[in-house]
Each structure stands twice: as structure tokens, then as C-alpha cells.
């Protein structure tokens, strides 16, 4: 019985650690500064990216860099997370404003993550094109 408890506790701790590690990775990415070119292309201010900008930025990813969804690490997972948190925010908007506020901040981080990933992808594509011209 004790060994089963230890196994369950260890599995729970491992899953919790994995989730915290995953969040730390994409929150760190989301805190990167955005280039002026992306802000002009997307029509958003980097300092004012909101929770509602997620779908706009994801559509922009599809338009400007169609391979990004396949090649980018965590973009699919962040998108799934965003959808789940969005449902939570809609469910608790009127009943529990504290959960709604937390959900909106999480959704904003997700939107910011997509913007940074798109910005990095566009920068790398531009650098490749410039390097190809130089050769």
C-alpha cells in the first residue's frame, strides 16, 4: 500500500514538474521583445497585445509563414491551452471574476507567445534570404 502511494505521489510530482517546465519555456519566450516590422505587419502594438489577438496572430502565422505551425515547438500545445483557458474564462466570467481575470492574463501570454514565435520565424526567413543573395 505504501509503495502504491509513493508511486502515485511520484507520478503526480513528475506531471506537475513537466507542466511547470513547459509553462516556463513559453512564458520566457513570450517575454521577448517584438520587432517593429512585425508590429507593422500585424497591426498590433507589442506592448498592448491582448487576449483577443490570439486568433488574429495565428491567422497571420498561416498567411506569412505557413510551415510555422508544423515546425514551431509548442505552438500547437499553446493553442490547445489557449482554447481550454478561453472556455474557462467564458464559463466563469460572471460567477468568479478572479478566475476570469487569471484566464485573461493566461490568454494574453498565449497571444504574446504566438507573436514572438511569428516574429522569430520572419526574422530567420529574412536572414536566410539575405544570406542567399550575398552568395
Amino acid at each position: 500500500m505504501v509503495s502504491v502511494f509513493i508511486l502515485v505521489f511520484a507520478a503526480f510530482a513528475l506531471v506537475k514538474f513537466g507542466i511547470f517546465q513547459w509553462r516556463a519555456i513559453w512564458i520566457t519566450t513570450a517575454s521577448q521583445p517584438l520587432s517593429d516590422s512585425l508590429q507593422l505587419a500585424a497591426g498590433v502594438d507589442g506592448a498592448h497585445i491582448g487576449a483577443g489577438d490570439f486568433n488574429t496572430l495565428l491567422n497571420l502565422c498561416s498567411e506569412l509563414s505557413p510551415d510555422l505551425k508544423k515546425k514551431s515547438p509548442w505552438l500547437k500545445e499553446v493553442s490547445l491551452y489557449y482554447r481550454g483557458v478561453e472556455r474557462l474564462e467564458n464559463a466563469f466570467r460572471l460567477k468568479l471574476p478572479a478566475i476570469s481575470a487569471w484566464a485573461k492574463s493566461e490568454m494574453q501570454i498565449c497571444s504574446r507567445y504566438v507573436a514572438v514565435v511569428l516574429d522569430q520565424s520572419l526574422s530567420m526567413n529574412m536572414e536566410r534570404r539575405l544570406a542567399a543573395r550575398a552568395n
Side-chain angles (χ1 to χ4, degrees), residues 82-95:
Y82 178 87
R83 303 280 182 244
V85 172
E86 183 180 38
R87 287 187 186 121
L88 221 133
E89 194 273 330
N90 288 335
F92 292 109
R93 183 177 299 148
L94 299 174
K95 297 174 186 172

Side-chain angles (χ1 to χ4, degrees), residues 1 27 30 39 63 67 69-71 85 90 92:
M1 184 70 178
I27 288 173
Q39 293 181 45
E63 291 174 17
D67 296 338
K69 287 184 180 179
K70 295 174 188 168
K71 292 190 291 186
V85 172
N90 288 335
F92 292 109

Side-chain angles (χ1 to χ4, degrees), residues 1 10 19 22-23 25 34 40 47 55 60 65 69 73 77 97 102-103 119 126 130 132:
M1 184 70 178
I19 291 170
W22 173 70
R23 284 190 79 238
I25 290 169
L34 295 175
L40 291 173
N55 291 323
L60 195 61
S65 187
K69 287 184 180 179
E77 290 83 357
W102 168 82
D119 189 25
M126 186 177 293
L130 291 174

